Amino acid sequence: MLGEHRYTVTSVWTGDRGTGTSGYREYDRSVTLSIEGKPDLLASSDKPFRGDPSKWNPEDLLVASLSECHLLSYLHACVTAGVVMTAYSDHASGLMVEDGKGGGAFAEVVLRPHVTVADASMTDAATAAHHQAHEWCFIANSVNFPVRVEPVIEVARG
């Protein structure tokens, strides 16, 4: 089924300390992200940019989006390939480089999925399914930097 899908989020700045943006150090970077029917997500900028390190920041969310999209695509790829996966975890990381002019960009994201399959005969197909998942991932197809996948496949102990 082909189609267009729209996504809507409301971002509300909650960081006014009483003087608005009267100075760079005079406001908090707190934001509440809302989508109808879902719990609010408390966000901020990253700590080096005067943000609250206890809250999600846009860079965290980008890496998380890539990680989750690969996982969800991989689940489908496994079913298609006849791979019975019993566990999956990913320790993804992203590298963002500042440009010295107040901006910057991600240079890469590395996904490190650790997958457990039900049987040793499935390991090759489980590895190949990562390539298919990467091809299907909407988020990876939308970014302009490399997204590398470095999977580890293990067999469940019987």
Side-chain angles (χ1 to χ4, degrees):
M1 178 169 85
L2 297 176
E4 293 182 352
H5 306 272
R6 297 195 185 276
Y7 301 90
T8 304
V9 64
T10 300
S11 301
V12 177
W13 174 54
T14 58
D16 184 4
R17 294 181 181 153
T19 60
T21 56
S22 61
Y24 185 71
R25 299 176 191 273
E26 304 306 315
Y27 61 94
D28 191 287
R29 277 66 175 168
S30 293
V31 175
T32 299
L33 303 173
S34 301
I35 296 175
E36 188 175 329
K38 298 180 182 183
D40 287 350
L41 184 62
L42 302 181
S44 181
S45 61
D46 197 9
K47 185 177 180 180
F49 308 109
R50 303 190 58 78
D52 182 341
S54 71
K55 297 177 181 176
W56 287 85
N57 62 60
E59 297 82 11
D60 293 334
L61 293 167
L62 179 61
V63 174
S65 292
L66 286 160
S67 178
E68 183 183 0
C69 187
H70 184 84
L71 164 58
L72 295 171
S73 298
Y74 187 71
L75 292 169
H76 181 66
C78 283
V79 169
T80 301
V83 172
V84 177
M85 181 182 69
T86 59
Y88 183 110
S89 64
D90 181 15
H91 299 285
S93 62
L95 173 63
M96 185 186 75
V97 180
E98 292 182 64
D99 64 11
K101 299 180 265 182
F106 271 78
E108 74 171 357
V109 166
V110 181
L111 307 178
R112 295 177 182 87
H114 188 111
V115 175
T116 304
V117 296
D119 187 84
S121 65
M122 299 174 180
T123 56
D124 289 343
T127 300
H130 281 289
H131 176 75
Q132 183 63 63
H134 185 67
E135 293 295 316
W136 286 341
C137 177
F138 300 126
I139 308 301
N141 286 321
S142 301
V143 299
N144 66 351
F145 54 83
V147 178
R148 292 188 296 119
V149 181
E150 299 176 354
V152 172
I153 309 295
E154 100 179 14
V155 178
R157 297 179 190 201

